[in-house]
């Protein structure tokens, strides 16, 4: 995570640290520490910051394309984030500069992608690679086994739950990016 990127996005919107803190319900001190690289924010704090700045979450980690409109994301240079509870980890497989976000997620047994279902302006498709997931979308539950997928409007409150005994691995494609 690049605190300078958050500072740049905030400044481009003419927001002060105090205004961003108020919009995110996070202390101005924490925002300042994040921007200076002195603190690593939680996934929930990053989501609040991305919403307040009206950018997809992974834009806080934006990478420039190599050239010619083609981006290659090497395995050892993928952006990774983990939730504060460490239930879920995401790595970004797309470059973060287009209209499509591709994420690989790992969700531990008994874990959930968020404490409560949440929404954001995009659509997404989740594909289970290993294990099993429950996609909870607008209060309905959809059981997904290895190889199954679920496509939905992300404006509907949603989250992923791992009710199994093994780590669940999955791919999410979202367009436009809005995590």
């Amino acid at each position: 995570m690049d605190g300078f990127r958050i500072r740049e996005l905030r400044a481009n919107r003419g927001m002060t640290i105090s205004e961003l803190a108020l919009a995110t319900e996070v202390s101005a001190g924490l925002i300042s520490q994040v921007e200076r690289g002195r603190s690593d924010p939680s996934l929930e704090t990053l989501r609040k910051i991305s919403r307040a700045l009206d950018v997809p979450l992974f834009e806080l980690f934006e990478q420039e394309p190599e050239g010619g409109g083609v981006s290659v994301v090497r395995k050892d240079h993928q952006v990774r984030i983990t939730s504060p509870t460490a239930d879920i980890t995401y790595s970004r497989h797309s470059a973060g500069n287009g209209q499509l976000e591709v994420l690989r997620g790992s969700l531990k047994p008994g874990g959930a992608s968020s404490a409560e279902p949440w929404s954001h302006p995009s659509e997404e498709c989740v594909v289970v690679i290993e294990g099993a997931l429950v996609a909870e979308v607008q209060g309905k539950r959809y059981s997904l086994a290895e190889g199954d997928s679920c496509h939905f409007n992300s404006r509907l409150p949603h989250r992923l739950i791992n009710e199994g005994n093994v780590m669940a691995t999955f791919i999410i494609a979202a367009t436009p990016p809005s995590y």
Side-chain angles (χ1 to χ4, degrees), residues 83-114:
S83 73
T85 61
D87 282 353
I88 193 161
T89 302
Y90 290 108
S91 60
R92 186 177 66 200
H93 288 255
S94 53
N97 53 7
Q99 291 300 303
L100 176 67
E101 190 81 80
V102 179
L103 308 171
R104 181 181 180 103
S106 297
L107 185 58
K108 75 177 188 179
S113 60
S114 60

Side-chain angles (χ1 to χ4, degrees), residues 47 87-91 93 102-108 111-113 124-134 144-150 159-162 167-173 179:
R47 283 180 174 158
D87 282 353
I88 193 161
T89 302
Y90 290 108
S91 60
H93 288 255
V102 179
L103 308 171
R104 181 181 180 103
S106 297
L107 185 58
K108 75 177 188 179
S113 60
E124 60 189 89
C125 182
V126 178
V127 181
V128 178
I129 305 301
E130 295 177 336
L133 289 173
V134 171
L144 305 173
E146 287 182 22
D148 290 347
S149 63
C150 182
R159 69 180 178 160
L160 301 174
I161 304 165
N162 181 353
M167 183 73 75
T169 304
F170 55 95
I171 299 291
I172 294 178
Y179 273 78

Side-chain angles (χ1 to χ4, degrees), residues 24-62:
T24 58
E25 299 178 346
V26 173
S27 74
L30 178 59
I31 298 290
S32 176
Q33 288 178 353
V34 167
E35 287 188 354
R36 292 181 290 128
R38 305 231 187 259
S39 179
D40 290 324
S42 70
L43 177 58
E44 292 306 313
T45 298
L46 287 172
R47 283 180 174 158
K48 289 178 181 181
I49 290 171
S50 72
R51 282 187 213 133
L53 294 174
D54 195 30
V55 298
L57 183 135
F58 279 94
E59 190 168 322
L60 303 179
F61 304 86
E62 189 168 358

Side-chain angles (χ1 to χ4, degrees), residues 67-88:
V70 175
S71 299
V72 175
V73 180
R74 304 285 180 207
K75 184 176 180 178
D76 57 341
H77 288 97
Q78 292 170 358
V79 174
R80 295 179 196 344
I81 59 170
T82 302
S83 73
T85 61
D87 282 353
I88 193 161

